[in-house]
Amino acid sequence: MDKTLYKNVFVFAEQRGGVVQNVAFELIGKASELAASLGEKVVALLLGHEIEQQARLLIEYGADEVICIDHPYLKDYLTEQYSQAVYQAIMEYKPSVFLIGATTIGRDLGPRLSARLNTGLTADCTKLEISENKELLMTRPAFGGNLMATIICSDHRPQMSTVRPGVMQKAERQTGRKGEIIRMPVKFDESKFKVRLKETVKENKGLVDITEARILISGGRGVGSKEGFSKLQEMAEVLGAEVSASRAVVDAGIIDHDRQVGQTGKTVRPDLYFALGISGAVQHLAGMEESDYIVAVNRDKTAPIFKVADLGIVGDVSKIVPLLTERLKKEIQEK
Amino acid sequence: MDIVVCIKQVPDTTEIKINPVTGTLIRDGVPSIMNPDDKGGLEVALRMKDSMRANVTVITMGPPQADAILREALAMGADRAILLTDRKFAGADTLATSNALAGALKCLKWDLVITGRQAIDGDTAQVGPQTAEHLGIPQISYVTDLVHENGNMFSARKETEDGYQILEFETPALITVLSSANKARYMSVRGIVEAYGKEVEVWGADKIDVPEEKLGLKGSPTKVKQAFAKGLKGAGEFYEVDPEEAVSIIISKLKEKFII
């Protein structure tokens, strides 16, 4: 394959319900850095129906061009419809790099496309850089986060990678930033449409497995009552986090066993773990010490939890949690 | 109805520890298990066997010792087991793995292919959809429920970030299943006894019609350039301040870590 034919950093601008998802802006932020190192352009690929007004926003967040594929078939995500459209865009515009959000949509579309294009795909990258010889270096965790690996895709194009939401930072929005919007027509092979979307249901996913949560707000004896835990729940909702607990509060019947962290509960490794009012018995530490970043709040400054915490705060959980929830709300709104 | 379930033997990653002195992985003595999402997929297939007499074949690509999870699957109730093993498959990334699996699947008769959503040693969730593309069949990923409507019509519940979708499809198709879909059955005593009497078929690269340059390391567009341990944890920061200031410190740290 002639790699010199492939240029520019493409971002799949995922939309749901006609709204471009945050992860797209985050990827554009990263793509701008990569494109600068390569001396190439950032191009956002936007698929949907009556979606063009969203293209402006992508430009304001850093896209130099937006390729807009507007078609009734693309209103809601369906694997084959989207694969056909994106495939045609890639064949026509030949990007060197193609970034996709590691969402349920991105993790469905990415591998399907990589097989259709016969190129590599690296999942859930946490770091992306350009090497001296202009290759994309894709770093990701492996073995349940125990090991990091840097992956390259030397002989195939585009170099494809998925990135989880929240991993990259979006750039500052520049109102009025100029960029080109290209409307691309596509041809569909309808005979391949074998899946029909019957129903989309939104629900509050309060009952997910705590081992899969990216952020855990964990409470112990220091949180005390059910009322105390309802404050943690509020904080969790702001952060898109899950609430978990130490054994003491599970045994006291304040919270269900399926949310217990520790040797007799679950082993968790979230990106962020709040240990609130948890002293940190060995059996609890065994279940959470390998979390990426641990914030502990406890009144007792000799509590063992502070030995594993990245950030330890001596203080009263009942005072700090409501204040923190308010501040988080503000920060996230401003973002 | 014929179902093929693709399963993988994985190290139990929750048992892997880091050597506190060297910061490297301790893999010795880590038990190998059937990947949890694949077990969820196998259970979906076995329930189809219970309710509509589906015939269930399990297949895995891996080293000879992956035989253990095929025996486990037989003991749970699978009818036939195939071990894809060959040096030519070694070093495969997800695309090369899907090339081999699709090649093997083309040698079998099936209406439905089931894989786990992802394996706990790689967490990529790529092999299922890539295999479906090679086979030219639709995929439904992140499935937690499968219902037979009529004839070759099925509906699946697909989990999403903010809820779920119900998707209707016709077989042939491939679904990728979450371990949370069900509670997989245990092996029965009779199943265990029978499993050791049953044959596990061993297939090499010569059995499947896939060119060698599409298999193993050679067939892998992605290569590992470097692997490294995450490193040891440095000493944490510690503050004894009033609540307002504590909150400001937490917020600034979370921003620094790109969490908010």
Side-chain angles (χ1 to χ4, degrees):
Chain A
M1 117 177 306
D2 184 359
K3 290 191 285 184
T4 61
L5 295 176
Y6 288 77
K7 278 202 172 54
N8 300 325
V9 181
F10 269 45
V11 169
F12 175 69
E14 176 175 333
Q15 58 86 11
R16 281 184 239 152
V19 179
V20 173
Q21 299 296 297
N22 242 324
V23 68
F25 303 122
E26 293 164 10
L27 292 181
I28 289 173
K30 176 48 76 177
S32 304
E33 291 173 30
L34 301 177
S37 317
L38 290 166
E40 296 176 358
K41 283 186 293 194
V42 178
V43 182
L45 191 52
L46 178 64
L47 280 69
H49 186 46
E50 288 162 359
I51 194 79
E52 209 183 298
Q53 68 280 5
Q54 300 273 329
R56 217 32 34 242
L57 207 52
L58 292 164
I59 291 169
E60 292 184 344
Y61 275 103
D64 300 310
E65 282 174 14
V66 179
I67 297 171
C68 187
I69 308 179
D70 196 300
H71 197 282
Y73 287 154
L74 302 174
K75 183 171 177 288
D76 295 305
Y77 175 78
L78 282 165
T79 312
E80 184 59 28
Q81 282 80 337
Y82 269 61
S83 299
Q84 287 188 16
V86 176
Y87 179 79
Q88 286 169 57
I90 288 177
M91 294 311 278
E92 182 158 340
Y93 291 96
K94 297 189 167 45
S96 61
V97 173
F98 187 32
L99 307 180
I100 304 174
T103 59
T104 50
I105 288 176
R107 294 176 109 221
D108 187 85
L109 176 69
R112 188 88 198 187
L113 278 170
S114 88
R116 197 163 291 188
L117 293 158
N118 189 36
T119 189
L121 173 63
T122 306
D124 297 350
C125 296
T126 52
K127 196 171 162 193
L128 295 169
E129 303 158 285
I130 301 294
S131 72
E132 279 176 16
N133 57 351
K134 306 281 183 196
E135 272 181 357
L136 183 65
L137 302 177
M138 303 171 272
T139 302
R140 72 179 304 265
F143 282 104
N146 290 296
L147 198 70
M148 302 299 288
T150 301
I151 313 284
I152 49 170
C153 176
S154 305
D155 304 323
H156 294 73
R157 290 292 178 272
Q159 304 162 90
M160 285 174 57
S161 132
T162 66
V163 179
R164 283 196 198 181
V167 170
M168 302 300 173
Q169 254 188 325
K170 62 181 174 189
E172 201 82 16
R173 182 175 169 185
Q174 299 172 46
T175 320
R177 190 173 179 276
K178 296 260 180 295
E180 194 185 349
I181 300 172
I182 301 162
R183 290 160 201 89
M184 183 185 160
V186 290
K187 285 205 180 80
F188 288 102
D189 175 0
E190 286 145 354
S191 72
K192 297 248 165 65
F193 297 171
K194 305 277 190 180
V195 179
R196 200 169 67 83
L197 177 60
K198 213 170 142 191
E199 204 183 345
T200 298
V201 180
K202 283 203 173 180
E203 59 179 15
N204 184 11
K205 290 216 158 176
L207 292 170
V208 301
D209 188 351
I210 58 166
T211 62
E212 291 192 5
R214 216 164 59 75
I215 303 177
L216 280 175
I217 317 282
S218 212
R221 226 189 289 262
V223 174
S225 56
K226 282 203 170 163
E227 203 196 338
F229 269 90
S230 71
K231 300 277 183 219
L232 299 198
Q233 186 59 45
E234 278 175 39
M235 178 176 159
E237 277 163 26
V238 173
L239 277 173
E242 289 299 321
V243 170
S244 54
S246 71
R247 181 171 174 176
V249 290
V250 172
D251 286 351
I254 293 169
I255 197 163
D256 289 342
H257 179 260
D258 64 354
R259 292 187 180 258
Q260 183 187 327
V261 172
Q263 220 147 36
T264 53
K266 288 174 175 166
T267 300
V268 296
R269 277 186 187 134
D271 297 343
L272 174 62
Y273 187 88
F274 278 97
L276 305 173
I278 294 176
S279 63
V282 172
Q283 90 93 16
H284 185 78
L285 299 185
M288 48 65 75
E289 63 191 341
E290 286 177 32
S291 304
D292 275 355
Y293 195 75
I294 299 167
V295 179
V297 181
N298 204 294
R299 260 197 289 213
D300 174 9
K301 65 175 166 189
T302 64
I305 191 77
F306 289 128
K307 292 211 175 74
V308 300
D310 297 277
L311 177 60
I313 304 280
V314 181
D316 187 343
V317 168
S318 68
K319 292 204 177 93
I320 290 175
V321 168
L323 278 175
L324 185 56
T325 305
E326 281 315 306
R327 279 288 297 279
L328 285 168
K329 256 189 217 162
K330 264 210 316 219
E331 293 289 341
I332 287 166
Q333 266 166 15
E334 280 166 19
K335 201 185 170 191
Chain B
M1 168 169 185
D2 295 297
I3 304 176
V4 180
V5 187
C6 303
I7 62 178
K8 185 183 184 186
Q9 188 181 48
V10 292
D12 186 348
T13 50
T14 58
E15 297 289 323
I16 293 180
K17 297 271 182 308
I18 303 279
N19 181 326
V21 181
T22 60
T24 52
L25 289 189
I26 305 170
R27 289 164 75 169
D28 291 347
V30 174
S32 286
I33 55 170
M34 188 191 304
N35 179 51
D37 281 349
D38 303 351
K39 205 175 214 179
L42 176 58
E43 179 62 31
V44 168
L46 293 174
R47 287 182 188 184
M48 290 285 158
K49 178 175 173 170
D50 295 340
S51 64
M52 54 188 295
R53 294 182 177 178
N55 189 55
V56 178
T57 299
V58 283
I59 184 164
T60 190
M61 183 176 113
Q65 55 269 32
D67 177 81
I69 57 161
L70 293 171
R71 302 268 172 205
E72 183 182 352
L74 289 170
M76 286 168 69
D79 302 292
R80 181 182 176 192
I82 297 162
L83 172 63
L84 264 180
T85 192
D86 199 309
R87 278 176 179 278
K88 288 174 185 150
F89 298 141
D93 72 354
T94 61
L95 193 69
T97 302
S98 69
N99 284 334
L101 281 176
L105 284 159
K106 283 176 185 165
C107 303
L108 295 165
K109 188 165 88 68
W110 43 264
D111 304 286
L112 183 67
V113 177
I114 301 180
T115 70
R117 166 198 44 173
Q118 64 190 36
I120 57 172
D121 56 348
D123 292 318
T124 71
Q126 288 174 188
V127 174
Q130 286 170 332
T131 304
E133 171 66 19
H134 298 314
L135 295 170
I137 56 172
Q139 83 209 23
I140 295 95
S141 55
Y142 287 77
V143 170
T144 52
D145 195 23
L146 180 68
V147 177
H148 180 225
E149 301 287 353
N150 53 63
N152 58 352
M153 284 290 292
F154 288 80
S155 71
R157 175 182 159 128
K158 175 193 174 94
E159 298 303 312
T160 63
E161 279 83 355
D162 47 10
Y164 63 90
Q165 292 180 325
I166 304 293
L167 295 155
E168 266 185 349
F169 65 98
E170 275 174 42
T171 54
L174 180 148
I175 62 171
T176 84
V177 174
L178 270 59
S179 61
S180 60
N182 50 46
K183 199 171 179 308
R185 66 196 62 192
Y186 291 105
M187 299 179 277
S188 66
V189 174
R190 196 175 139 203
I192 294 170
V193 174
E194 283 178 4
Y196 282 87
K198 280 186 193 165
E199 185 205 0
V200 167
E201 295 166 47
V202 180
W203 292 10
D206 54 349
K207 171 85 189 178
I208 62 173
D209 185 23
V210 180
E212 232 178 82
E213 65 270 14
K214 291 210 160 227
L215 297 173
L217 194 61
K218 233 191 264 178
S220 300
T222 63
K223 305 260 171 355
V224 177
K225 190 182 163 78
Q226 193 195 0
F228 49 97
K230 250 183 180 171
L232 291 176
K233 199 163 216 171
E237 295 168 70
F238 188 74
Y239 298 93
E240 202 170 345
V241 291
D242 66 73
E244 291 278 354
E245 200 183 335
V247 165
S248 296
I249 293 168
I250 295 171
I251 295 277
S252 70
K253 283 289 156 195
L254 298 190
K255 280 186 169 171
E256 206 178 287
K257 298 276 162 196
F258 303 145
I259 291 167
I260 59 167

